[in-house]
Structures are given as C-alpha cells and as structure tokens.
Amino acid sequence: MASVAVVAHETRDLESWVLDVKFGGGEFLFGRFGEGAQRVLVDQGLVKLGRVRGVFVTGPCTSWTPVGGVAGFLIAGAAAGAGPIVYGGRNVRWAMATLRGVEFRQEVGFDVRYAQGEIVNEFMTVVPVELATATTDSGADEEDDIGRILDGMGSPGWSWPNQGMLRVPDSERRSMCFVIRPHARPGRLNVAEAERLGVPRGAAFGQLRKGMAVTTLSGFVVRPEMVIGPAEEQDWIVVVDLPTRGFFRAALDVDWATAGAGGGRNRVGTVMHILGPDIDPFGAEYIGFMKSFPRTCKHIVAHPSYGSDNVTLTRSARLRTGLAGLWPTVRFPMAVGSGHEPTMPSPGDVIVERAMAECVVGDVDEICRRMQAASMAGQSSSSSAYGVECICIGTGSGSPSVFRNVVGTIVRMDDGWSVLLDCGEGTYYGLRSMYGDDEDVLRSVKVVFISHMHADHHLGLLSFVDGWMRASNTDDDLYVIGPERIRAWLHDWSQMQDEFRDRVRFVDVAGAAGAAAGNMGLDGIETVGAIHCAQEEAYSVVLSRRGIKVAYSGDTRPNHDFVCRARNATVLVHESTFEDRHLADAIKKGHSTVGEALLVGMQMRASNVVLTHVSPRYAVESLHDKLADIWGIVSRGLLDEDEDGMFLCRPVTAEDRQWCERVKVFVGLDGAVFVI
Ligand SMILES: [Zn+2]
C-alpha cells in the first residue's frame, strides 16, 4: 500500500508544503520545496534521502521560493547515493538552469524535467495537470535551449554558457498539479491451493506471481488465475496547487476523477490543496469544489492562514532557549512565534484536515548542560565597547546539520548599518526565526559579501535579496560583492523579477571593490585572495567604517596576506572547519583549524574573534568543551607546523600573552548574537 503523509508545512523558518508518497521500494515527494526543505526532512527523520526517487514541484516556479530547496536536495541526495528526478511546470528547468554557474563539489545528477504526459514507473502513474489562467505560447524553443544547458550540468568538464537566458514566457500563468495513480497491487498467491494442485515451492511460485503458467510433475497445468487472488486497486492521490484565485476556474474545468485514465472509476482517496492567500478554502465555492470528489476522500488543506506560528527546527530553537543568558556578551534573540495552531472549520460532509507535518522535539538538555559547564576563553568582560553586533545566523560548513545551518553572519554597527558575510541556503529563514516580523536587522543590510562559489556560501542569496527587497525602502539599493558568476545568477532572476536588476548593485569581488566603498557606506574595503581551492577562486575581505575594522576569512588556510591587511581588526570572523587533531584534513581541503584561526587572530591582534564554519562532523558542544584546551595550546605557541611553515611552534612573546588576556573569543552558534 502507498502511504501518504505531510512531511513539511509552512512555519517561520520554512516556506514549504511537502506531501510524501511512500511505497515498499521507493519514495516520492510532491509540493513546494523552499530553502531548508532537505535539512528539515532529514532532520525530522521523516524522509530517507537515499530512497527518494522523484521530486515533483507544484505551482508556477516563477520565484525562488518553491524551488529554493531543490538544489540542496540534489546535492545531499547525490552524497547519499540517490539521484532523484525533479519534475515540475515548464519553468522548473529554467529555474534550475539558473544554477549553471554554481560549483557543485561532487558530481550531481541534474535530471530536471518538464512534466508532460503520463510519468510511469514500477509504483505508479503520475499524470501532470497544468492549469493555465490564459491561452499562452507553447514556449517550445526556449524549452529546447534550457534542455541543452541542463543536459551538460553536473558532467565533468562542463562549462557554463555566457549568454543570457530567456525564461519560458507566460510561465507565471501556469500552475503544475499532479494526479497520482498507484498501480494496483498484484493479487496474493494462495499457497495452500497451489500446493494442493502440486506446485512445488520456490521458483514455480515466482513464475505464477509473474503471471506465467506452471506445469506440475504430474503434467497438470496450473494457470495464475487458479491460485492468484484479484489485484487490489489503490486509492488515487491528487495534489492541487492554486497560487492565486485566477487558477480556480481552470481547476474546476479539470475532471480530476478520471484525469488521464479514460473515464475509469473514481478512486481519489486524498487531495492536497496548496492554496494562495486570496483563496478561502471554506468559502461556498471552494467547498463545492471539494464536494466534486468522492465523499470518503480526505482533503488536506495547505493555506497561509492555517500554517503554524511556530518553528519547524525545534531542536535548534530549544538549544538556543536553553543557552539564553549563559554568557554575558552573547544574546539569543528568539522569535519562535506564539505556538498558535489555528483550528479549521469542519464543514459537514467533507473530510478536511490541516496540512501539518509531524514535529520532532528531541531532548537537548544534556547538550545545554555540557555547554554551560564548558569554559569560554576570553569571555570575562561584558562591556560592549564598540556597539557592534556579530549575528551568527548559520555557523556550519558543507551541508546543514541539526544544530548548525550553513554559513551566514551579519555584522551590524550601532547606527544600523550592516554587512552580510556569505549567505548559505536558509540564511533568510534563520533570520526570521531570530527576529520574526521585526525586520530591522534585515533592512539594515547594505552589503552582501559572497566569498566564493561553493554552495554552502551562496545558495541562500536569492531568498535573502527577495526578503530584503520586500522589507526595505524602494529607493534603497543592496550591494552584492561576489564572483562574476553571481552576477549571471542575479541577471537570470531579473528576468522573473525586475527588482533584481533595479535594486541590486553587483560588485566583482576580483575587481576594485574599493572604488565602490563610499557608495556602500564604507570608509574602505579590500578583498584578499584566499588559500582554499584550486578550481575555485575564493576571497577574504576587510571592511573599515567609522574606526571599526571587520575582517572575514571566507574559506581559507591561514593566510599571511590576510593577516597583514587586517591588522588590529575590531572583529575577525574566521572559519574554523576542523579541530586541531584533524589538521591534515584542514590542509587537504583548504580550511583552517580552530587553533589556526585563533593564531591568525593573535597575529592580527584582533580585539574580538568569532569562530564559524564548523564541520558537521563535530557535535555542537564539542568546540565549547575543547576551547579551553585549544586556548592553552595557542597561548603557549604549541600548535603544529602546517605545510607552508607559517604557524610554527614558536615562543610566545610578552605581547602575545597580553593579547591572550585581552581578546574576546566566541565559538559561533546558530542564532547567537555576539556583542562587542
Ligand atoms: Zn564552505
């Protein structure tokens, strides 16, 4: 039997509605896949990544929102040995092709298809139903071009084309819906009857199950219908996505009960309705639509008014609550919402329920206790000397984990000017779970710095920019400093949303960013080539403003050049991917250890050091546990030599010792604000 369950619903930290359809040997996901969907589905343990065979995106795919989580899904899926096929409306291929400039670190199968005609596999037939608000062009030529781009993606030696790409015209007027028809289950073999007729156990049983006749030793021919019961029909599942009222008329014109089945018996058992805010699911009209399905059918309603005023990533939120008030210079702003769960009206003779995923609460008390016991080196002073906040939205590296999302840090000055340093998938939603509807911090961001093209540093850019544009004044501009390929990505999306062109100012990270410093509200800015990855240029950055110097490493080995440019930094935000015992990995992968990051801070004479970009291989509390030891090693100058011989075991000077006593160090935690 196919089992059907809602596995993601919309909350403050997740803009997704996902229905999971599970069979004995495969799993398929239907709905809208916002950023963080992969993290949530895996974190909650509701979906086994390696089993997911298909991702079916509903709706029009004309904003990043319903597809923002798909790339993360493909990357994580590839790592888990799965290569789900992505199906969606005619713009889904365009949306995914805009990622052509993204450097994926492992080969990622990029099988994205415009859902047309019946999709048949060993479990089911899926019938795509594309609703249109108006008669539109075919868009066939553009589909071909996009197909050529997609076909090459993920293959070795593939390079991205330079030319601009036209989105599929009129795609906003089409919304993709699906009718899922699980295959009938084959009837059961009546073992007793087969044996009575003389069929030997083993291979002959298998033959009968496959529909083949078997001749017994006595020469008697046993045909399958003599021993196999009737096939069991399974209920159909319908996923209707109506982003606006404009699509409702078209939905009424579809014969959902027979879609593609040539007038078969009506067997719809479940309908998921993903609805835009201007549709009233309990208005007479919509109830009438629900009544056009069989009376026994269950209707699952996904509607913004019936979402949760809550967070989905509850374990991470509970950890933050547990740690609040622990360290004098660290705050944990929390906007988990009221927890209010709206109730739905229950109209007579229609079975309706809210689209709600199971929520995993999990116990984090032990982790809190360990972190409370851990000493925080350099945490003695509680005074805020500079009026600067370092807002750690995500502090992980590579891929998101339960307690650490991929990297994103805002440095905010007390006159309300901020810079966002890298923007991994889900950065915008992390900010929402910290500040809720209070958009002051979001609005204060004037500059976004993207250090390099690895997905954990930039996949959240589009939703961040989108959210920023909605929150800020229409005459404000946002500066995005990044590799040239970021420009191409923003350019592609400006074809969907004009504002990406009108309000976003791109600055090439490899060019003279300094020339634009004044416009960005800065006194100076320098980018420094990082020591990270042979295939991909990466950069560190040093910003100065009103006597405050902010240095951010991006991904890098300890870098003497960076140290020189960032001397006496007010705050150094440095990657610390590995613990010191994994120095060999740090060298191999072009990253720094915690001890190395602290040494860089020492050489710079940074007043404050924030460590971030921690590998998901470490438990969230482990760096806090070990910081005192690492600190001892650093302050005695005992760290091992690295391959460049840059950080030798060396005598510690009196000045070094003074710095150790003066500096404040914070091991970044998601959702924490370090006040300096
Ligand atoms: Zn990284």
Side-chain angles (χ1 to χ4, degrees):
M1 273 303 263
S3 73
V4 181
V6 175
V7 287
H9 68 275
E10 196 170 293
T11 53
R12 291 195 169 204
D13 53 350
L14 186 71
E15 245 180 307
S16 300
W17 300 103
V18 180
L19 188 74
D20 179 40
V21 179
K22 208 178 278 177
F23 297 90
E27 203 163 341
F28 300 87
L29 303 172
F30 294 81
R32 300 186 192 170
F33 299 82
E35 281 182 29
Q38 178 269 129
R39 182 185 184 202
V40 164
L41 297 181
V42 177
D43 179 20
Q44 306 287 65
L46 298 174
V47 168
K48 293 248 183 317
L49 208 51
R51 290 171 42 127
V52 177
R53 303 265 304 269
V55 171
F56 293 78
V57 182
T58 62
C61 287
T62 46
S63 79
W64 183 243
T65 312
V67 289
V70 173
F73 215 93
L74 291 173
I75 295 169
I85 302 172
V86 179
Y87 296 93
R90 60 180 55 203
N91 222 42
V92 73
R93 287 153 64 81
W94 179 87
M96 298 317 292
T98 66
L99 288 166
R100 66 200 187 283
V102 174
E103 173 77 24
F104 289 116
R105 267 167 290 187
Q106 58 269 19
E107 267 180 48
V108 176
F110 236 92
D111 195 347
V112 183
R113 302 180 190 176
Y114 169 36
Q116 275 177 305
E118 294 189 350
I119 299 156
V120 187
N121 59 33
E122 67 263 49
F123 306 104
M124 61 182 179
T125 299
V126 178
V127 185
V129 178
E130 196 170 37
L131 305 177
T133 55
T135 321
T136 52
D137 300 342
S138 77
D141 292 350
E142 288 80 2
E143 268 294 325
D144 288 350
D145 289 345
I146 295 162
R148 274 195 289 277
I149 291 169
L150 275 165
D151 288 344
M153 279 172 78
S155 55
W158 173 83
S159 69
W160 62 293
N162 253 323
Q163 76 274 17
M165 186 174 52
L166 284 175
R167 70 180 170 87
V168 180
D170 282 332
S171 38
E172 64 277 12
R173 298 193 211 204
R174 292 173 182 269
S175 182
M176 184 55 83
C177 307
F178 296 101
V179 177
I180 304 146
R181 308 194 319 241
H183 298 327
R185 269 157 56 102
R188 289 175 187 285
L189 175 72
N190 185 337
V191 173
E193 178 64 7
E195 285 183 331
R196 193 187 66 76
L197 295 172
V199 181
R201 279 180 179 264
F205 279 19
Q207 262 178 292
L208 286 164
R209 286 197 180 98
K210 283 185 195 142
M212 291 181 280
V214 167
T215 307
T216 65
L217 286 174
S218 58
F220 183 66
V221 177
V222 179
R223 294 187 309 278
E225 60 269 28
M226 295 162 72
V227 288
I228 305 261
E232 291 167 42
E233 299 292 348
Q234 299 197 68
D235 284 348
W236 295 4
I237 304 140
V238 173
V239 183
V240 181
D241 191 320
L242 307 176
T244 63
R245 263 196 70 80
F247 290 93
F248 186 45
R249 188 62 31 209
L252 291 177
D253 290 342
V254 175
D255 185 359
W256 298 95
T258 59
R265 180 167 74 81
N266 190 337
R267 292 193 298 265
V268 179
T270 307
V271 185
M272 180 156 175
H273 305 262
I274 304 177
L275 305 177
D278 65 345
I279 297 174
D280 175 8
F282 298 102
E285 246 185 331
Y286 207 86
I287 289 290
F289 174 54
M290 289 186 189
K291 282 185 178 170
S292 70
F293 290 92
R295 283 184 62 132
T296 51
C297 176
K298 182 170 79 176
H299 296 272
I300 302 171
V301 173
H303 186 279
S305 302
Y306 298 98
S308 295
D309 185 20
N310 216 326
V311 292
T312 297
L313 294 159
T314 49
R315 275 187 288 178
S316 179
R318 286 197 58 205
L319 179 68
R320 287 186 263 160
T321 318
L323 296 176
L326 181 59
W327 298 295
T329 52
V330 183
R331 291 192 278 108
F332 289 89
M334 288 285 288
V336 291
S338 61
H340 176 65
E341 301 287 355
T343 46
M344 271 190 174
S346 44
D349 57 19
V350 183
I351 306 162
V352 186
E353 63 182 49
R354 271 176 71 203
M356 240 189 114
E358 211 177 296
C359 168
V360 179
V361 177
D363 189 14
V364 297
D365 293 349
E366 175 59 19
I367 299 172
C368 285
R369 198 190 58 71
R370 285 172 63 92
M371 287 174 82
Q372 285 170 353
S375 81
M376 289 287 280
Q379 276 289 304
S380 51
S381 164
S382 65
S383 65
S384 166
Y386 302 95
V388 174
E389 289 180 345
C390 189
I391 302 167
C392 301
I393 307 166
T395 59
S397 75
S399 54
S401 57
V402 174
F403 295 110
R404 291 193 198 275
N405 195 27
V406 285
V407 71
T409 314
I410 287 177
V411 177
R412 188 184 195 210
M413 305 205 179
D414 59 2
D415 65 342
W417 180 99
S418 302
V419 58
L420 170 62
L421 303 168
D422 278 330
C423 187
E425 177 181 346
T427 296
Y428 170 65
Y429 297 96
L431 207 54
R432 271 209 330 198
S433 83
M434 292 173 77
Y435 297 102
D437 299 331
D438 178 357
E439 293 181 317
D440 273 1
V441 172
L442 176 62
R443 209 177 290 129
S444 74
V445 174
K446 300 286 182 277
V447 180
V448 179
F449 172 78
I450 303 294
S451 62
H452 64 300
M453 289 306 287
H454 284 159
D456 57 330
H457 293 256
H458 66 71
L459 261 188
L461 182 63
L462 292 182
S463 61
F464 184 88
V465 171
D466 205 19
W468 180 89
M469 288 192 298
R470 273 180 275 126
S472 57
N473 295 322
T474 48
D475 43 358
D476 282 354
D477 291 339
L478 182 68
Y479 283 83
V480 175
I481 307 169
E484 185 61 28
R485 283 183 285 164
I486 291 286
R487 185 207 297 273
W489 198 28
L490 292 168
H491 170 79
D492 284 345
W493 278 93
S494 71
Q495 296 177 32
M496 255 354 289
Q497 287 173 273
D498 293 346
E499 276 192 305
F500 277 90
R501 184 176 50 237
D502 300 340
R503 298 183 60 196
V504 180
R505 304 267 163 267
F506 177 81
V507 179
D508 186 353
V509 68
N519 294 335
M520 293 187 263
L522 286 163
D523 298 328
I525 176 169
E526 269 190 282
T527 57
V528 185
I531 307 165
H532 179 43
C533 171
Q535 294 81 38
E536 203 54 57
E537 283 193 2
Y539 289 86
S540 307
V541 70
V542 184
L543 312 159
S544 50
R545 186 171 183 274
R546 302 198 316 161
I548 289 165
K549 202 178 215 184
V550 178
Y552 172 56
S553 68
D555 283 4
T556 188
R557 294 285 303 139
N559 182 355
H560 184 68
D561 206 11
F562 181 47
V563 169
C564 293
R565 312 273 187 106
R567 280 215 196 281
N568 302 313
T570 313
V571 57
L572 164 67
V573 180
H574 204 287
E575 72 124 295
S576 54
T577 313
F578 295 104
E579 291 181 359
D580 292 336
R581 65 196 160 104
H582 294 132
L583 179 65
D585 284 347
I587 292 169
K588 196 168 99 201
K589 296 183 174 171
H591 287 295
S592 300
T593 69
V594 180
E596 286 176 326
L598 290 172
L599 272 174
V600 169
M602 181 192 275
Q603 297 202 335
M604 259 178 208
R605 302 291 182 225
S607 305
N608 299 274
V609 179
V610 177
L611 303 172
T612 189
H613 198 272
V614 179
S615 165
R617 74 165 78 171
Y618 306 115
V620 68
E621 68 272 30
S622 76
L623 286 191
H624 287 81
D625 272 354
K626 294 191 179 76
L627 193 59
D629 299 344
I630 297 165
W631 191 252
I633 291 167
V634 170
S635 56
R636 293 196 302 278
L638 297 177
L639 199 78
D640 278 346
E641 179 180 354
D642 75 10
E643 59 172 5
D644 313 315
M646 197 179 303
F647 292 104
L648 300 173
C649 300
R650 61 182 178 84
V652 174
T653 65
E655 234 185 286
D656 289 339
R657 222 168 285 123
Q658 276 174 10
W659 177 83
C660 287
E661 277 158 29
R662 216 177 45 235
V663 69
K664 283 195 266 182
V665 176
F666 179 60
V667 181
L669 282 167
D670 282 24
V673 177
F674 186 48
V675 186
I676 53 186

